Amino acid sequence: MKPPVELETRCGECLLYAALQGMSDGIILVDHDERIFHLNRRAQEILELGSRHVIGTRLRGTLRHVGLASFWAAAAEEEVPASTDLAFPGGLSIRASVSLCLSAARDPIGRMLLLRDVTREKRVAVDLSDSVARRLVQLAGGEGVTGPLAMLTPREREVLSLLAEGLTNAGIAARLRVSLNTVASHLKSVYPKLGVRGRAQAAAYAVTNGLFPGSR
C-alpha cells in the first residue's frame, strides 16, 4: 500500500524528522485517519511490530500495550503535545510523546508518536524515591505510604477510570449521568493531584497504577 503522506512533504525543521534517521528513539507517523505511514526499526522493536504488516493500518488497533493504547486514545482528544512514562516488558521504561505532524507548509497532516528509552533514568529516580519513601515511613512510624490515587475522591476515581477506558468527556458524562461541566471540573481537580498535565497522561497513569474500570 502506498503511504498516504510522503515523508518529503514533512517539515524539515521538525526535531522528530532527524530522529527518523536514528535508532535510539522509536518513531511512528500517522495521517489524519490515524493510519500508519512510517515507523522506524526501533519502534518495531519496542512494540513488536512488522512494518510490512502495519503500514496503512490504524495505530490504535495495533497497540497491544494497554497503557500506551489508553495514552494514545486520550492524546487524540488534545491539540497540544502530551507525554508520559510507561513500563514495558523486559524492564523497559519508555517515555511516549504525541505531537502534531506538520507539512513543509506547516499544515497539520497527522500525528507523531515518539518512544524514548528512559530505563536508566527511571531506575535512578525509582531508587531515590524508594529510599525517601522508606525514610518517611520510619519517621512517621507507619507501615506504608499512600500514593496520589489515594487523594482522589470516589467520584474522581470513577471519572479517571472511565477516562482510562478510552471514553471522551461526553462519554463519561453520559455514563455517569452528569453534565460535561461536571466531568471537566473533576478532571481539572484530578490532574494536579496526580501531577499530570492532561487527559493523556492521566489515562496512562491510571492504567499503569491499576485503576481499571471496575477497580474503583
Side-chain angles (χ1 to χ4, degrees), residues 2 4 7 26-27 29 59-60 77 90 92 120 125 133-134 172 174-175 179 194 198 210:
K2 180 179 174 57
L7 292 179
I27 300 289
L29 304 179
L59 176 59
R60 196 171 305 200
E77 299 292 322
L92 282 180
R120 184 175 301 177
R134 286 195 295 271
I172 296 173
R175 181 78 65 86
S179 69
L194 299 184

Side-chain angles (χ1 to χ4, degrees), residues 27 43 50 65 94 109-110 122 129 134 155 159 164 172 179-180 185:
I27 300 289
H65 187 286
I94 299 296
I109 58 174
K122 293 291 289 184
S129 60
R134 286 195 295 271
R155 179 59 94 181
V159 170
I172 296 173
S179 69
L180 279 172
S185 177

Side-chain angles (χ1 to χ4, degrees), residues 8 29 39 82 95 148-149 161 163 165:
E8 289 75 10
L29 304 179
L39 74 164
R95 179 162 298 152
L149 288 176
S161 177
L163 176 64
E165 189 178 340

Side-chain angles (χ1 to χ4, degrees), residues 7-211:
L7 292 179
E8 289 75 10
T9 66
R10 297 181 62 252
C11 176
E13 297 177 356
C14 178
L15 294 178
L16 292 184
Y17 182 75
L20 284 170
Q21 312 306 322
M23 299 306 298
S24 61
D25 297 335
I27 300 289
I28 300 180
L29 304 179
V30 303
D31 62 17
H32 282 303
D33 295 324
E34 293 192 15
R35 295 188 183 279
I36 300 171
F37 66 86
H38 181 87
L39 74 164
N40 67 356
R41 187 178 304 171
R42 183 55 179 151
Q44 295 175 45
E45 293 171 350
I46 294 173
L47 300 180
E48 300 181 345
L49 300 174
S51 61
R52 290 186 303 171
H53 302 293
V54 299
I55 295 296
T57 63
R58 293 184 185 279
L59 176 59
R60 196 171 305 200
T62 66
L63 297 176
R64 290 176 287 182
H65 187 286
V66 178
L68 182 58
S70 293
F71 170 69
W72 175 260
E77 299 292 322
E78 300 179 318
E79 292 300 325
V80 297
S83 65
T84 192
D85 291 348
L86 298 165
F88 274 69
L92 282 180
S93 291
I94 299 296
R95 179 162 298 152
S97 303
V98 176
S99 57
L100 286 175
C101 181
L102 303 176
S103 70
R106 309 299 295 178
D107 296 320
I109 58 174
R111 289 183 183 271
M112 297 173 277
L113 174 61
L114 170 67
L115 303 171
R116 175 162 294 169
D117 188 343
V118 293
T119 305
R120 184 175 301 177
E121 173 187 331
K122 293 291 289 184
R123 188 169 295 150
V124 171
V126 168
D127 289 344
L128 177 61
S129 60
D130 282 348
S131 176
V132 173
R134 286 195 295 271
R135 181 57 178 160
L136 288 175
V137 172
Q138 292 173 357
L139 292 174
E143 296 296 326
V145 294
T146 57
L149 288 176
M151 295 188 295
L152 304 184
T153 66
R155 179 59 94 181
E156 288 172 349
R157 282 173 174 263
E158 200 169 18
V159 170
L160 180 60
S161 177
L162 293 175
L163 176 64
E165 189 178 340
L167 272 65
T168 63
N169 282 14
I172 296 173
R175 181 78 65 86
L176 299 181
R177 298 182 180 179
V178 297
S179 69
L180 279 172
N181 287 339
T182 297
V183 173
S185 177
H186 283 311
L187 290 176
K188 185 177 180 180
S189 175
V190 165
Y191 297 157
K193 290 182 180 180
L194 299 184
V196 301
R197 291 178 292 180
R199 60 187 301 113
Q201 287 187 352
Y205 186 98
V207 173
T208 300
N209 288 273
L211 186 60

